[in-house]
Structures are given as C-alpha cells and as structure tokens.
Amino acid sequence: MDKVWLKSYPPDVPVEIDVSLYPSLVDLIEDSFQKYAERSAFACMGQTITYAELDRQSRNLAAWFQRKGLLPGARVAVMLPNMFQYPITMMAILRAGCVVVNVNPMYTARELEHQLKDSGAEAIVILESCAPALEKIIANTAIKHVVVASVGDLLGIKGLFVNFMLHHIQKHIPDFHFENATLFNDALASGAQTPLTAVKIGPDDLAFLQYTGGTTGTPKGAMLLHRNIVANVQQTYAWLAPIFKKKIKNEQTVTLVALPLYHIFSLTVCGLLMPSIGALGILVPDPRDVKELIKVFKTYSVNFFPSVNTLYNALLHDPEFEELDFSNLILAQGGGMAVQEVVARRWFKVTGIPIIEGYGLSETSPAVTCAPINAVEYSGTIGLPLPSTEVSIRDEAGNAVPMGQPGEICIRGPQLMAGYWKRPEETAQVMTADGFLKSGDIGTIDERGFIKVIDRKKDIILVSGFNVYPNEIEEIVAEHPGVLEVAAIGVADSHAGEVVKLFIVKKDPFLVEKEIAGFCRERLTGYKRPRFIEFCNELPKSNVGKILRKALREKEKLPAQV
C-alpha cells in the first residue's frame, strides 16, 4: 500500500522500529532498574521511591505471588488508583510470569464480578475502600488470594497519619472481611523471605488483559502480548524522543501522571515508557482534584503532561492555573478522546506549549497515530501513523476508498492485540483477511497522510476518554420494573466530551427521573450514569423492531422549536 504519510514524517523519526530490542516487558523493566537504580522513579503525596526500591519491592511481591502458587499465565487483577502500589504490583505480576488484569477502582460489585469471572483471575490487589464491593461477589469468582492496599502504605510516618485520618476521622473505609486477605506491606515482607524464581518469558506470552468493549457489546479482554506493549513503547518513544533529547538532554524527565495507570494510554506512556527512559513520574491519586494538580505544577518542574481534553479544560478554568510558570513544560500530549479546538487554542495561549494529539485503542496497546511534535496549530487531525504502523481507510466491503473519502479506519502493526480473550468469533469480526484491525471509527486521510476521525461507526459513547456501551446501560435500566423500553445515546458535553442520555418509555406512569438516577447510581460507575433522562411515548424503530439510536441522536441535534 502507498504509505503517503511518510513524506510528512519528522526528520528525526525512524520509519520502522526494532521489534526485537527487548524480548519481553520484564527485560525492558529490569534494564531500567539497572540503568537508573539511584534515580527517583515515582513520587506520591510528598514521598519518593527510587528505581532500586521499585526493583526490590516488585521482586518481593513477585516472589510472594509465586509462593502462593500462582503459575506463569495466571491472571492477577489490579484495582488501584495512582499510588506507589500500582507500579510495584504491575511490575511484580509481569516478573512472576503472570498476566495483569486492570480493573477500574470505581467499578460497582456487578461490574467487578463480570471482569473477574471473565478473566478467571486467581488473585487481586485491591484498594481497601474497594474491598466491600469485592466481598459481595468474591464467592462467584476464582479469586483465591486478596492483597489489600491502604493509601498510606509506603508513605512512612506520613502514611500512618493518612491511614488514621481515612479510618477514624473521615471514616472513608467501610468494614469488610476476607478469610485469606493479606495486607500489602505484609505481602512485601513475606516475599522478601523467598527468592524469586526466574521465569522464561517470551514475546508471545500474554502480558495484559485490557478490558474494553471493542467496537460493540459487553466489555471483553484485549489480549496484549509482551511484544505488543514493547513495540508500542518503542513506537511512542521514537516519535517523542527528538523533543526529549533536545529539551531535556542529560536531565531527568519529570512527568505528571494524572491519568489513571489502569487506563491503557497512561499505562503504556506513564507506566512503561517513562520508566524505560529513567523519568520521574508524579503520581496523582485523584485527577479530579484540580487544586492538587496545580500544586504539583508548583512543586515540581513538570516537563511532560499526558492528559485528556476534560482535564486540560478543567485546569484552564481555574484562575490559579494561569499564574503558573510553564518554562519547564516541553510537551503536552492528548489522547483517550478528541481534543476540542477551543481547549487546544486556549492551552497554547496560556502555556505556550501545544497539545500534541494522538489516537489509539486498547486493542492497539494503544498508540496508532500522533501529531508531529513540532506542531503549534490545532489541525483537527489525529496526526500520522507511528513507525511500523499502517493505516488503511476502507469501505464496508473492505476495499480502500479514494483519498479524502470517508471510510473505516483500519490498523496493522506490531502493537496489534492477539485477539479478544476467549472470544474467537468476535476477534474474527474485527480482523480483515490481510491482518488489519477494523477500528469502528470513520475517518479520512489526506494527501499528506494526516488522518481525521469523523465519527464512530458504532454507538459507543466516549465520556472523558472512557468507553460507555449503550447495550450495558440499557440492560441495567431495563431491569427497573417501571421501565417498558429504554435507549441510551451520547450527547455533547463541554466538559466530558459526551455524557449519557436515556430515553425511556414508562411502564409505571408514576416513574420519575430521581428514581431512575438512584437505580443507576447503585449499579453503574459514575461516568456511565445518565446525565439526562427523557420520558417519551415511543422510541423510533426499524421495520423489524430494532430501536434506532441514530434517529435519537439526530433528534438531539435539531434546533429547538420556537
């Protein structure tokens, strides 16, 4: 195929990467431990951990996993926000030869149960405030070992104070009881008494089950092999390296890690790429705390800020942010959702640094494209394919469309997943005969190779960078005895990009919005809950009775009648 994008490639970016550089993520991680042992790896709540300490503690936890009988290939769930325990746990699981199953800490018991059962996870490392949700459903899963982490773990004397405040003053930690629970620090101490048995890990071994809805349906695990993530780390570094080498030189890159590490964008960029170059990651447990983000900018000389449109927008709306010194900031990277033009332009005006927008999917580890790092103007595109990546715009029949014409964005490259976990039929549905992944997004490519996303092919709702699937929302709301029919769509929102709106045909004439909102609050994570609820007499349907979400979306775009 004609790789038209190569003519627009930045001069210092290679066309291809060496996919054999590291046989596995463990090789990549342990290389960093050796190179940067004395450097600080992560900082959180005023405390730091060095690469040597990260090496020792992840080794101890890996040994504990082995001691508990977890064999190579066993799935281990991680339900943690951004705190020291996350990189330690993630790296420990990989070093034990096991598979990381990332779980959103905001998940309800129902959502958690689905992911644990589907993955067959045998162990979980969980934040203690999330433990009550696990307690409700653990009997229905294969979980044998529970490691409970407290916010104050690894924070020294300050950590004791933090835990005391959470337990006894703020009372944020509900009671829970597990027969075989182990405290995080106890697991580290126990593992220190046992040597880690070396495990042979190859490029084709499974590293992550990263749950996503794909392009449709119930969340499923994208099987990301060691070679997939290693490749994407290299691809992303190849694209960003020129600016790091030019602006940082021999100094340590400081990265603000506000996006949750359980999200694939942050996982690859902040959790693996940055350690591979010996960077310091400033972990922010709650990215919604804008004042804390501003405090980080004041305390540290932040060089790199990967984020999403909603977070950039929130910072720009705080007057204190404009007063900060941005002289050390060299790169802001946008992903997870589209960056809005008004946000991009205002960010550049305030900071003097453009937002470099990229595009990716959980199925692609995730990065597929990125804007050139020397861009200063908002282009409305998602940039160019990364090294060793091919993008083809195709019609419904799988044929490439003429340049400039819309079609489905299809992707091929070493970062492409091995398939969906235990779902060969669904894997086959998204793969073409020549090895391209059908993204479900409609886009165009111009004569310079720049790609633009026009719309999503399916009905996925993108809320602050997280996929929300109408089928799941409708299934839950339909369980309410007062609901006859329901449809869920995404509607535009200046903060989150999109939010969920429900259209409901009542079965109970006395049903009110407040009751539906409460029903959803008990069963759905915050970003999945409907922001708007509209009751109607009927829903638009096809001639075979299928509810037409497209008609509802078009209705929302119509101007109000006067």
Side-chain angles (χ1 to χ4, degrees):
M1 63 183 296
D2 184 15
K3 300 178 181 179
V4 295
W5 53 85
L6 294 182
K7 62 178 131 180
S8 300
Y9 250 42
D12 297 329
V13 175
V15 172
E16 302 287 340
I17 58 161
D18 179 6
V19 295
S20 64
L21 186 61
Y22 292 104
S24 75
L25 283 169
V26 174
D27 294 288
L28 181 148
I29 291 166
E30 293 183 344
D31 185 45
S32 296
F33 292 156
Q34 294 177 9
K35 286 180 179 176
Y36 312 113
E38 302 309 314
R39 286 190 184 184
S40 293
F42 291 99
C44 185
M45 299 176 69
Q47 304 295 310
T48 60
I49 180 174
T50 66
Y51 279 92
E53 291 170 321
L54 189 58
D55 179 11
R56 175 176 54 82
Q57 291 175 346
S58 63
R59 179 181 294 272
N60 291 344
L61 187 56
W64 186 86
F65 287 140
Q66 290 182 340
R67 186 174 180 177
K68 290 298 178 180
L70 292 173
L71 300 175
R75 276 78 63 203
V76 181
V78 186
M79 196 173 186
L80 298 172
N82 288 1
M83 50 195 220
F84 289 142
Q85 293 92 326
Y86 183 91
I88 291 170
T89 300
M90 181 263 289
M91 293 175 182
I93 294 169
L94 295 174
R95 296 179 86 176
C98 297
V99 180
V100 179
V101 182
N102 280 311
V103 181
N104 188 332
M106 296 185 293
Y107 270 1
T108 64
R110 181 193 66 83
E111 295 163 316
L112 174 60
E113 180 179 359
H114 166 75
Q115 195 159 323
L116 294 181
K117 288 172 69 175
D118 188 78
S119 66
E122 299 177 39
I124 184 170
V125 181
I126 188 169
L127 185 67
E128 61 179 343
S129 60
C130 302
L134 176 63
E135 186 178 21
K136 293 177 183 177
I137 54 88
I138 191 169
N140 302 328
T141 73
I143 295 291
K144 302 182 185 71
H145 309 288
V146 179
V147 179
V148 181
S150 300
V151 174
D153 291 344
L154 311 177
L155 294 179
I157 299 299
K158 181 178 182 178
L160 297 176
F161 174 74
V162 169
N163 287 342
F164 178 81
M165 289 291 293
L166 291 174
H167 282 269
H168 302 290
I169 306 300
Q170 299 176 8
K171 296 183 178 178
H172 283 176
I173 311 299
D175 292 332
F176 59 89
H177 305 281
F178 295 107
E179 290 185 6
N180 298 316
T182 303
L183 297 179
F184 190 86
N185 284 350
D186 290 345
L188 291 180
S190 176
Q193 308 303 314
T194 306
L196 176 64
T197 301
V199 178
K200 184 174 177 57
I201 303 169
D204 291 323
D205 286 323
L206 184 59
F208 290 87
L209 277 185
Q210 195 70 20
Y211 273 76
T212 173
T215 54
T216 61
T218 304
K220 57 188 77 70
M223 295 189 291
L224 302 179
L225 309 180
H226 280 263
R227 60 177 169 81
N228 298 144
I229 303 288
V230 166
N232 208 231
V233 167
Q234 292 177 253
Q235 291 168 313
T236 307
Y237 177 67
W239 197 261
L240 303 180
I243 194 169
F244 287 132
K245 291 177 180 178
K246 181 179 179 181
K247 299 291 182 69
I248 302 295
K249 298 181 180 178
N250 294 325
E251 298 176 16
Q252 185 179 25
T253 302
V254 178
T255 304
L256 201 169
V257 188
L259 297 182
L261 287 164
Y262 58 79
H263 189 285
I264 188 64
F265 176 29
S266 185
L267 170 67
T268 299
V269 174
C270 301
L272 292 166
L273 169 58
M274 288 297 103
S276 78
I277 63 170
L280 169 62
I282 314 302
L283 301 174
V284 179
D286 183 5
R288 295 167 297 183
D289 188 346
V290 173
K291 294 299 183 185
E292 181 61 26
L293 292 179
I294 291 174
K295 181 181 176 181
V296 171
F297 271 106
K298 287 181 177 179
T299 305
Y300 298 91
S301 298
V302 176
N303 308 126
F304 180 33
F305 183 36
S307 192
V308 293
N309 183 81
T310 49
L311 200 48
Y312 287 126
N313 192 37
L315 286 167
L316 290 169
H317 278 81
D318 192 304
E320 193 176 354
F321 182 72
E322 295 191 20
E323 305 302 319
L324 295 174
D325 176 10
F326 298 105
S327 59
N328 293 298
L329 186 65
I330 63 169
L331 183 61
Q333 187 177 30
M337 63 185 297
V339 176
Q340 296 171 332
E341 181 174 2
V342 64
V343 173
R345 295 196 183 283
R346 188 175 177 197
W347 178 270
F348 184 71
K349 181 179 179 181
V350 171
T351 68
I353 298 296
I355 298 175
I356 303 301
E357 188 169 5
Y359 167 82
L361 308 164
S362 295
E363 291 89 341
T364 54
S365 306
V368 174
T369 70
C370 193
I373 56 175
N374 58 357
V376 293
E377 290 292 329
Y378 175 83
S379 67
T381 77
I382 54 173
L384 307 166
L386 294 179
S388 298
T389 303
E390 297 173 86
V391 171
S392 178
I393 309 297
R394 301 187 174 186
D395 61 22
E396 291 287 345
N399 302 311
V401 301
M403 186 173 293
Q405 295 298 308
E408 185 168 9
I409 298 172
C410 298
I411 305 146
R412 185 167 65 182
Q415 70 270 52
L416 193 60
M417 69 170 183
Y420 293 123
W421 176 252
K422 295 184 177 180
R423 287 177 168 82
E425 297 84 3
E426 292 184 58
T427 301
Q429 289 174 10
V430 300
M431 295 301 300
T432 67
D434 55 347
F436 280 79
L437 173 80
K438 296 186 283 187
S439 71
D441 289 324
I442 300 299
T444 60
I445 186 167
D446 65 20
E447 66 281 355
R448 299 174 303 150
F450 284 83
I451 299 164
K452 183 175 183 179
V453 176
I454 298 174
D455 201 356
R456 285 182 298 283
K457 183 179 180 181
K458 303 297 181 181
D459 295 321
I460 296 173
I461 305 165
L462 197 62
V463 181
S464 296
F466 289 92
N467 287 348
V468 177
Y469 307 100
N471 285 344
E472 181 185 17
I473 308 299
E474 291 166 3
E475 183 179 350
I476 296 301
V477 176
E479 294 175 0
H480 192 287
V483 172
L484 179 63
E485 292 181 331
V486 58
I489 66 167
V491 294
D493 180 80
S494 59
H495 175 69
E498 286 186 317
V499 292
V500 177
K501 178 171 182 176
L502 294 182
F503 293 85
I504 295 175
V505 178
K506 297 181 183 180
K507 184 175 182 180
D508 176 1
F510 299 103
L511 183 64
V512 295
E513 289 184 26
K514 184 177 180 180
E515 189 173 349
I516 293 295
F519 188 80
C520 292
R521 192 177 302 115
E522 294 176 0
R523 293 162 174 80
L524 294 167
T525 300
Y527 66 86
K528 296 182 182 179
R529 297 170 192 159
R531 181 77 61 82
F532 302 103
I533 300 171
E534 180 176 328
F535 294 107
C536 51
N537 294 326
E538 61 180 4
L539 296 174
K541 297 175 184 176
S542 69
N543 57 358
V544 294
K546 181 180 179 181
I547 294 173
L548 300 175
R549 297 194 190 112
K550 182 179 179 182
L552 292 172
R553 288 196 296 268
E554 291 173 348
K555 170 181 175 292
E556 287 299 297
K557 294 177 182 178
L558 292 175
Q561 298 296 317
V562 180

